[in-house]
Amino acid sequence: MRNSWRHHLAARAPRYTSYPSALLFTNAVGSDAYAARLSAIAPYEPFSVYVHVPFCHRQCWYCGCNMRVENNYDRALDYVSALLKEIETVGALLSGRGRLVSLHFGGGTPNYLNTDDLGRILDAVELAMGLTDDATRAIELDPRMVGEHDLDRLTALGFNRVSIGVQDFDPDVQAAINRETSFETVEQCVSAARAAALNDLSFDLLYGLPRQTTASFSETIDKVLALAPERAAVFGYAHMPSVLPRQRLIDSADLPSPAARAALAELADRRFCDAGYRRVGFDHYAKPGAPLADAAQAGRLRRNFQGFTEDAAAAIIGLGASAVSFVDGLYAQNAKNIGAYKEMSSAGALATEKGYVRTPRDQLFAGVFEDLLCERPAAVDSALDALPSERRARVLERLRALQADGAVEWDGHHLKLADDAWPLARSVAASLDPYCDEEALFSAAL
Amino acid sequence: MDEPTDIDINDREGLRVPNECAVSRTARPSSCELCAVRENSICADLGPRELAHVDKVMARRTVPKNKAILMEGEPNDSLFVVVRGSFRLSKLLEDGRRQVTGFLFDGDFVGVRRTDESAYTAEALEESYVCHFPHQYLDEIADTSPGVKDRLIARGQTEYHKAQDHIVLLGKKTAEERVESFIHLLDTAIGEDLETGLRRVPLPMPRQDIADYLGLRLETLSRTLTALKKKGVLSELKRNAVVLPG
């Protein structure tokens, strides 16, 4: 990052995986409002499904997801029953309308569930919402939990995209985050995936972890490049121990400084780009020819809860505890508490706990931020006109300063991030964002 | 899947008529009277004078397998009637995936409204025969024969009926219900009595099209068909037909 840009880097900024941030969701939006939107989905309207599996065998201390260490598989089976019931409830509201184009299992650890139970979930989705062979099926895997024939079974179930949680290969770093995964374990998982004809592999990496140095992270990236995944996501670790008690197990003194974090992010970027990957958005890398790289190239990139995606469906149906749905400007989040979720779903009710309905102003800004973060010129006039005049003047001043430093291309109407200014993406968005006066709510911007 | 190719519907030189309507192009004025389908449905309600009008403006043509008579996103100004054969209706989703939305059989209509951008693609599943009537002429004869267009399509099913059928079918909660309903739809449209007293229902479309149409995985469709055979709901299960008990 150019030195002249460093002062533009906000300390904290939203991730813009939803707009506005899930922190603004309230219980004013409940299951009735969500049910009404589901019932209004049009015939053949494309939608995606996200299934949350909140169980893990071990606790990774950095984790910011809704998860629980569960050693009793019977309790996971109860959860699966609640999921099957929720699928039925949502299916009845859709009653044949809409068209499922992609299905994503996230966690937690989705492969905590055995492949038979994953198969039962797919069967239920097929009967309630329709599931055809051309729908994308993706699953996040903990490589330590992958059994000998699991990848063959996943292929047989039609999974065609696998993302493998790696985070960092360095033993010191792994000890500091309580996630010990050997290179051999990941290597075996990758070989099994390749042997099972799974040719869309993604690795998740984290920078900003305790005890991480540019030297150790560079070695991690060497190993990743040797395994040649089709894509990689390099997320910044969000250390928020006041919100996530488990992160208190991480010694803050071991964390890299903000400058060191930035150096790690830039190292990863340089290494992936030098190895021929295309940067996608500000934290994904994809081999040319991978669908994500093609989507970025063609200006079709999107941003949703999974990060940057080529999924074109505007509607997302979230299933499981804490899962977020987005239908026609309405966000609906299921109960985070697994027990509460199970109770509501099993009774045949939607498990919506809170949500948000975008205002017309939100819609304008959501469009601006998606374009801006997804490498497209964003038409900002109507969004800026929706701001109070004092705020608008301040934003314009910021944009002119960013433009003077070459961080954005700005002709007074269209705003585009400069090619190398990806580290500033969230900060630039936040400087326009009417909700960002309280930046303390959000995580580190890089 | 082969890319659908449009055929030039204005190219009347290529006209060829099926055996059932064996008339030459020069004898076209009598073609409607000889048309087998007219007896059954399509033009049965038209009086002789109307039929003469219709006969003047319509053209009949052969559509080779995989050719499209209607292309999504392109203008269409003709009403098509399937005289014999079958077509797949489909539309592209935003991300390039294709959705099979229905099938047309003898006596069905497509292109019911004149449009600058057709909402569907209609491709022949086999060599098929269609009549097409330019909307402009149908509107002109409407002055002398009021309601002719409505009566033309009243007897057959249109793409709009097909879409309604489809959503109802997709809302069914088990794979068996979906597959049985589908076979019933086909039986009503193109099922035929066999000498043995059984019913033969042709399946002119590939299994993958049926699976996509029913919102099922191919494997689920195959498993369900086998299960229906085992239960005796189907007497025979072949690649391009099923036989139902009488």
Side-chain angles (χ1 to χ4, degrees), chain A residues 157-426:
Chain A
L157 288 174
F159 283 94
N160 42 28
R161 177 170 300 167
V162 160
S163 91
I164 299 172
V166 171
Q167 323 314 343
D168 191 301
F169 278 121
D170 186 85
D172 261 2
V173 175
Q174 291 188 353
I177 58 176
N178 197 39
R179 185 185 171 101
E180 287 166 6
T181 316
S182 68
F183 177 72
E184 289 67 35
T185 303
V186 176
E187 194 180 27
Q188 275 168 21
C189 181
V190 169
S191 315
R194 299 285 184 210
L198 276 162
N199 284 315
D200 194 349
L201 304 186
S202 176
F203 281 11
D204 285 349
L205 299 176
L206 274 178
Y207 69 86
L209 289 175
R211 303 184 201 162
Q212 218 170 27
T213 64
T214 46
S216 75
F217 201 44
S218 190
E219 275 182 44
T220 288
I221 295 168
D222 284 339
K223 291 174 177 166
V224 170
L225 292 174
L227 296 175
E230 278 65 31
R231 53 168 109 189
V234 187
F235 299 121
Y237 165 55
H239 190 60
M240 305 179 90
S242 57
V243 192
L244 292 160
R246 70 178 76 115
Q247 292 186 346
R248 289 176 203 152
L249 296 165
I250 290 176
D251 187 348
S252 313
D254 284 343
L255 292 173
S257 66
R261 274 178 74 95
L264 289 164
E266 291 179 300
L267 167 76
D269 183 73
R270 201 169 52 247
R271 296 293 316 274
F272 278 108
C273 292
D274 286 352
Y277 286 76
R278 185 197 193 284
R279 183 195 309 123
V280 175
F282 55 81
D283 57 8
H284 284 47
Y285 299 88
K287 281 187 184 171
L292 188 67
D294 287 349
Q297 201 63 37
R300 284 187 284 103
L301 194 62
R302 302 277 316 282
R303 185 153 177 83
N304 67 19
F305 279 99
Q306 266 88 62
F308 292 102
T309 175
E310 73 275 23
D311 184 354
I316 298 171
I317 295 177
L319 302 167
S322 73
V324 179
S325 303
F326 179 69
V327 185
D328 189 22
L330 176 141
Y331 287 104
Q333 181 167 33
N334 278 349
K336 283 186 186 159
N337 180 282
I338 295 169
Y341 163 76
K342 281 203 285 203
E343 197 172 313
M344 285 189 269
S345 280
S346 306
L350 292 172
T352 312
E353 185 174 70
K354 53 186 181 171
Y356 187 91
V357 179
R358 277 187 188 167
T359 64
R361 191 186 74 173
D362 294 336
Q363 292 283 20
L364 292 173
F365 278 94
V368 166
F369 295 145
E370 187 161 41
D371 284 342
L372 188 66
L373 300 182
C374 292
E375 313 176 4
R376 292 183 289 268
V380 295
D381 287 346
S382 357
L384 292 184
D385 288 345
L387 292 176
S389 58
E390 193 191 322
R391 169 90 200 185
R392 186 173 184 279
R394 260 188 296 148
V395 168
L396 288 172
E397 199 182 313
R398 283 275 287 138
L399 291 183
R400 279 190 288 269
L402 284 161
Q403 182 192 24
D405 284 337
V408 298
E409 294 161 25
W410 164 242
D411 64 3
H413 304 287
H414 288 83
L415 180 67
K416 190 172 186 299
L417 217 53
D419 282 344
D420 292 334
W422 59 270
L424 294 180
R426 287 167 62 196

Side-chain angles (χ1 to χ4, degrees), chain B residues 3-225:
Chain B
E3 281 294 304
T5 339
D6 198 8
I7 59 166
D8 181 3
I9 56 166
N10 296 314
D11 168 22
R12 294 186 177 218
E13 295 309 312
L15 276 177
R16 199 152 66 77
V17 288
N19 293 335
E20 290 93 322
C21 316
V23 285
S24 71
R25 187 168 165 249
T26 48
R28 198 150 47 84
S30 60
S31 64
C32 285
E33 284 163 47
L34 289 169
C35 176
V37 180
R38 175 174 127 70
E39 299 295 316
N40 297 335
S41 63
I42 307 175
C43 302
D45 283 351
L46 302 182
R49 199 166 55 101
E50 290 166 335
L51 203 55
H53 275 298
V54 165
D55 198 39
K56 271 186 208 144
V57 301
M58 71 84 144
R60 183 171 299 158
R61 64 175 307 127
T62 307
V63 185
K65 185 175 174 173
N66 293 332
K67 293 284 183 182
I69 50 171
L70 215 63
M71 288 287 278
E72 182 175 357
E74 295 191 0
N76 171 56
D77 58 11
S78 289
L79 170 70
F80 292 86
V81 182
V82 180
V83 174
R84 205 192 64 188
S86 53
F87 288 82
R88 172 183 53 228
L89 293 174
S90 66
K91 58 195 290 159
L92 287 177
L93 303 180
E94 292 152 53
D95 62 355
R97 281 184 179 80
R98 193 194 60 172
Q99 169 74 56
V100 176
T101 61
F103 301 96
L104 300 173
F105 304 105
D106 302 5
D108 286 341
F109 289 80
V110 71
V112 170
R113 288 173 204 152
R114 195 191 302 205
T115 175
D116 291 334
E117 269 185 58
S118 171
Y120 302 87
T121 292
E123 294 154 274
L125 289 162
E126 58 195 310
E127 184 173 76
S128 301
Y129 307 94
V130 296
C131 287
H132 67 92
F133 308 84
H135 280 290
Q136 191 190 336
Y137 294 113
L138 290 175
D139 293 343
E140 281 170 13
I141 62 171
D143 293 340
T144 48
S145 310
V148 65
K149 191 153 129 187
D150 289 341
R151 275 181 292 141
L152 255 179
I153 61 178
R155 296 288 287 270
Q157 284 214 320
T158 68
E159 64 255 51
Y160 302 101
H161 294 106
K162 299 288 176 183
Q164 272 170 5
D165 282 352
H166 190 206
I167 302 306
V168 169
L169 218 151
L170 287 173
K172 295 198 182 290
K173 289 190 178 64
T174 69
E176 286 197 5
E177 280 180 86
R178 283 189 214 169
V179 175
E180 276 191 68
S181 305
F182 176 69
I183 291 171
H184 178 72
L185 283 179
L186 289 191
D187 184 24
T188 310
I190 49 173
E192 55 209 18
D193 286 324
L194 296 175
E195 285 173 10
T196 50
L198 307 179
R199 292 278 294 173
R200 180 178 184 277
V201 181
L203 301 174
M205 65 294 285
R207 289 287 196 273
Q208 187 71 63
D209 280 356
I210 303 177
D212 286 351
Y213 177 72
L214 296 178
L216 297 174
R217 290 170 284 184
L218 188 56
E219 192 200 325
T220 309
L221 173 67
S222 306
R223 197 166 9 95
T224 308
L225 284 168

